């Protein structure tokens, strides 16, 4: 009975935005989410949410959606999108990782309709501007490319994502499932070994770093086997997907739905209903 009463309660903002993020993680859903009437405006409203985990999760969802080139123009022109991203970047209370992630999404959308040369200039300008807002306390972000043995289906990807989300200093990640890779953006003061330790903790996957040699060839470099102390995101317990809540089974159902766009549609309308009820009355 307890389960059913939990099901009928209003979903909270974090569970809604996390489910949108999980749906957006699947490339098959990205067009549908952006075409939906309620979801993009809802994600933009989440960027102004007082809870930092909600804002970060909304940004991860937008980061996934922006990976699909066909979505970028619509996202950029969506009312309030660019302004809300700037607000997140400029707010003094925004955590460093979140600022960097917001400026990453802003850059991708800002450069969606430029020629490559304009693009590079614009990016450099934005980056300098972002640095200015971030202040000298936040070091630059860096990109680490991981080759992950065992990353061969969506449940493994979810495990991998959960492990990475726990690490303080991880900004965003993009999976390239076909080649078993994960491109991770991290704060420059975080050691890449911490990522390997987190992925090894899944017990079913192991990471190596992909680096380019001087001649431009890619090489796989194993990480040392000594585990690194990983600083956990302890201040965000409700942000971690394995939260033992009564809605856990419901989340599972949603992520299964996520791999079929037509199923995603019905969930999206539920999310849109929730969003319009929460924000517009």
């Amino acid at each position: 009975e307890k389960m059913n009463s939990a099901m009928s309660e209003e979903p909270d903002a974090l569970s809604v935005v996390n489910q949108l993020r999980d749906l957006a993680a699947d490339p098959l859903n990205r067009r549908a989410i952006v075409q939906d009437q309620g979801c993009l405006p809802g994600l933009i409203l989440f960027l102004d949410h007082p809870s930092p985990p909600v804002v970060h999760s909304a940004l991860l969802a937008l980061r996934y959606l922006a990976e699909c080139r066909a979505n970028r123009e619509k996202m950029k022109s969506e009312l309030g999108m660019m302004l809300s991203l700037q607000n997140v970047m400029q707010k003094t209370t925004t955590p460093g990782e979140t600022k960097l992630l917001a400026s990453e999404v802003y850059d991708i959308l800002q450069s969606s309709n430029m020629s490559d040369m304009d693009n590079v200039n614009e990016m450099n300008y934005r980056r300098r501007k972002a640095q200015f807002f971030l202040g000298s306390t936040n070091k630059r972000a860096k990109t680490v490319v991981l080759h992950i043995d065992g990353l061969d289906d969506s449940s493994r990807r979810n495990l991998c994502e959960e492990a990475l989300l726990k690490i303080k200093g991880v900004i965003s990640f993009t999976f390239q499932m076909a080649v078993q890779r994960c491109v991770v953006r991290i704060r420059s003061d975080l050691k890449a070994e911490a990522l390997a330790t987190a992925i090894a903790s899944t017990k079913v996957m192991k990471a190596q770093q992909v680096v380019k040699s001087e001649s431009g060839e890619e090489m796989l470099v194993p990480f040392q086997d000594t585990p690194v102390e990983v600083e956990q995101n302890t201040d965000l317990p409700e942000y971690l997907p394995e939260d033992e809540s009564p809605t856990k089974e419901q989340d599972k159902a949603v992520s299964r739905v996520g791999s079929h766009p037509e199923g995603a549609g019905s969930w999206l309308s539920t999310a849109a209903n929730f969003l319009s009820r929460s924000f517009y009355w």
Side-chain angles (χ1 to χ4, degrees):
E1 290 89 338
K2 191 175 162 203
M3 186 77 185
N4 288 341
S5 69
M7 290 286 216
S8 59
E9 280 167 29
E10 274 298 310
D12 66 323
L14 190 70
S15 65
V16 169
V17 77
N18 281 349
Q19 288 173 336
L20 273 174
R21 181 201 68 205
D22 293 345
L23 285 171
D26 186 336
L28 293 175
N29 294 333
R30 288 172 190 162
R31 293 292 289 276
I33 292 173
V34 168
Q35 296 309 316
D36 183 86
Q37 295 299 303
C39 286
L40 218 46
L43 283 169
I44 293 170
L45 289 166
F46 278 138
L47 294 179
D48 293 326
H49 200 277
S51 158
V54 169
V55 175
H56 197 84
S57 195
L59 282 166
L60 276 172
L62 291 169
R63 174 75 184 74
Y64 279 132
L65 297 175
E67 272 177 43
C68 168
R69 276 176 188 280
N71 282 341
R72 290 176 192 169
E73 275 305 299
K74 180 162 179 7
M75 289 175 70
K76 183 183 170 183
S77 59
E78 189 71 39
L79 187 68
M81 172 71 80
M82 302 307 270
L83 207 60
S84 295
L85 288 170
Q86 278 179 317
N87 285 343
V88 174
M89 283 148 66
Q90 292 167 25
K91 224 185 247 169
T92 48
T93 52
T94 305
E97 290 90 330
T98 307
K99 282 188 180 184
L100 286 164
L101 177 53
S103 63
E104 199 172 280
V105 175
Y106 189 96
D107 281 352
I108 293 169
L109 298 182
Q110 188 60 37
S111 56
S112 61
N113 57 355
M114 296 182 187
S115 72
D116 286 347
M117 204 47 233
D118 286 350
N119 214 336
V120 171
N121 294 338
E122 175 71 20
M123 284 286 217
N124 288 339
Y125 167 69
R126 295 270 156 230
R127 204 156 280 134
R128 282 201 305 278
K129 197 168 158 191
Q131 280 312 107
F132 173 74
F133 287 127
L134 295 173
S136 52
T137 51
N138 275 302
K139 298 198 185 76
R140 295 284 292 275
K142 60 185 177 186
T143 301
V144 179
V145 181
L146 302 174
H147 182 276
I148 301 175
D149 293 315
L151 179 66
D152 42 27
D153 62 25
S154 58
S155 67
R156 292 281 176 91
R157 184 186 67 196
N158 291 346
L159 273 179
C160 195
E161 195 170 59
E162 279 176 30
L164 292 172
L165 278 173
K166 285 183 195 167
I167 305 173
K168 205 174 171 63
V170 168
I171 298 161
S172 68
F173 32 78
T174 303
F175 289 100
Q176 299 168 345
M177 297 297 286
V179 286
Q180 294 191 308
R181 283 192 182 178
C182 182
V183 180
V184 192
R185 295 272 293 157
I186 59 177
R187 301 244 316 243
S188 54
D189 49 0
L190 179 67
K191 290 190 169 64
E193 284 76 12
L195 305 177
T197 303
I199 286 163
S201 75
T202 63
K203 305 277 194 289
V204 288
M205 289 177 282
K206 195 167 187 263
Q208 299 179 79
Q209 191 169 357
V210 181
V211 292
K212 276 205 163 80
S213 67
E214 283 173 18
S215 60
E217 283 182 63
E218 289 190 346
M219 302 184 305
L220 291 184
V221 181
F223 288 100
Q224 269 65 43
D225 275 341
T226 48
V228 179
E229 268 302 302
V230 173
E231 195 182 346
Q232 300 275 314
N233 261 325
T234 45
D235 52 335
L236 309 180
E238 73 275 44
Y239 180 41
L240 304 179
E242 75 269 20
D243 185 23
E244 290 298 339
S245 68
T247 56
K248 191 164 185 191
E249 289 308 308
Q250 188 186 5
D251 290 348
K252 283 210 179 78
V254 167
S255 47
R256 275 201 301 275
V257 160
S259 22
H260 306 289
E262 66 282 3
S266 60
W267 192 83
L268 287 176
S269 58
T270 315
N273 282 339
F274 165 74
L275 292 169
S276 56
R277 274 204 303 282
S278 321
F279 295 112
Y280 299 121
W281 44 266

